[in-house]
Amino acid sequence: MNLPLEKGTGTFVLFLVLLFVTVSECKSKKTPRIAIIGGGIGGTVCAYELSKLATKSGHDISLDLYEEAEIGGRLATTNIDGHEFETGGSIIHVENKHMANYVESNGLKWKSVPAGHSTKDDFGFYDGKEFVFVSSESNMWNIIDLIWRYGFDIVRFVMSGDVKTMMSHFKRIYEAQDKHIAFNNVHSLLSYMNKDFPHLMKVELKEYLKSKGFSDHFIDEFIYVAINVNYNQNTNIPVFVGSVSMAGAESGSLRSVEGGNKRVPETLLALSDAKLIKARVESITLRPDSTFALAVDNASHIYDYVVVACPLIESSEKNLKFESFPDLNIPHIKYQQTVATLVHGELNHTFFHVGSPEKMPNQIFSVNNALFYNSISALTPVVFDPKYDNKVFKVFSKNVLTDEQLDLLFATRNGFTSIPWLAYPLYDTQDRNLSFVLHNNLFYTNPIEWAASAMEMSAISGVNAALHISERLKR
């Protein structure tokens, strides 16, 4: 039996229904809160790309980027004698599509001379007693001298085209990201480029080259230089990262940004919708409702998505803490220390057994793993000045150099500064298929460094994290 409603009751019920529907719609349209932890290339690329993707798809997002230090991460400059010089990542390969696009599409400019190089491009290989090779202005004489030193291994290596073939396969990642394909782990990302690439992370470069018939002499000097100057390690690193390193040794293919490479992450952040919060995130806690609480300055901030874009370093007390996660497998990585020492002064030509200062090459590469330095390069400031006298040198070493060691290398020193970096993973061939997805809606960019550490690799991983979140926002 239906009882009649009292007067006004129907209107009240309709009001409740409308209120319930309105509240439900508001809940369903709640603006997602996203946190990015780290203001280096990976974090700022993620912020920039995520802002673009959200705008394109019509999603409103609330985006915070946490960075307690300077924006740029391992891209940084320091002042010597009134000029700024690169102390971190200093070169960008011409075929690095993301980095090139961020420079050329956002009002930045390329320097006429890369910031990690002098106006003179001469270089020498030094074995601790003498220069075993010094380049000249004649390419023909350089080829003759290299063949004299390394035989036809050098010709075979150049003619093989292995590095160029790898780079052509590498470019497939851009096709995938243009199609909004996101990858869950390092192996799946590399496999998209080439199904054999994950295997190349498990094979030592030296053994691989020896299997191709290259001599120990060629590998231990010529190949070693490229690995040592780029990764401060030896030829026992995996083939994949070794190939990336050798691609990065093509001097004619390298560029840097006017004003410093850190201008790229600074610009990306400025063009994104992210709010910069200058603070350190102490921990991430998984809440019962599957959101995340970030502990910052004794306060808790709640987010729906979190991107960890800073390295989680093996045995480091400064690592983020993860609370209340069931069976969370955090891929901590051991990093190789590299010290960049910038010196304003004159090289000691007598230490290098050279007759006069004028005969010293502007770039010196060690071919002896026992030496206390890896390389010495004359620098130009990040704002290029053709009249600059090239009297600032960058010395790469594994450890902080002592005054005694600096006095051996330099006849005069008007000033210097040392910057220690945990610059890249300490590579081995252990099979590590590290994940970009730590937990549902929790992402990590730095595992890509285990394949190879480079600005472009970090950019690829930043885009990958942005694609993961963008796809989830559509659900």
Side-chain angles (χ1 to χ4, degrees), residues 439-458:
H439 187 79
N440 187 37
N441 298 336
L442 174 64
F443 309 97
Y444 184 28
T445 62
N446 290 71
I448 202 167
E449 290 191 277
W450 190 246
S453 181
M455 281 182 262
E456 187 72 358
M457 298 297 282
S458 294

Side-chain angles (χ1 to χ4, degrees), residues 225-272:
V225 165
I227 307 306
N228 193 34
V229 73
N230 284 309
Y231 287 108
N232 197 1
Q233 292 170 61
N234 214 320
T235 54
N236 59 358
I237 67 173
V239 174
F240 186 84
V241 66
S243 299
V244 170
S245 181
M246 287 182 285
E250 299 178 85
S251 60
S253 302
L254 309 177
R255 299 181 287 188
S256 63
V257 179
E258 183 78 12
N261 291 331
K262 68 179 183 180
R263 293 286 295 120
V264 175
E266 289 173 347
T267 301
L268 294 180
L269 179 60
L271 293 174
S272 76

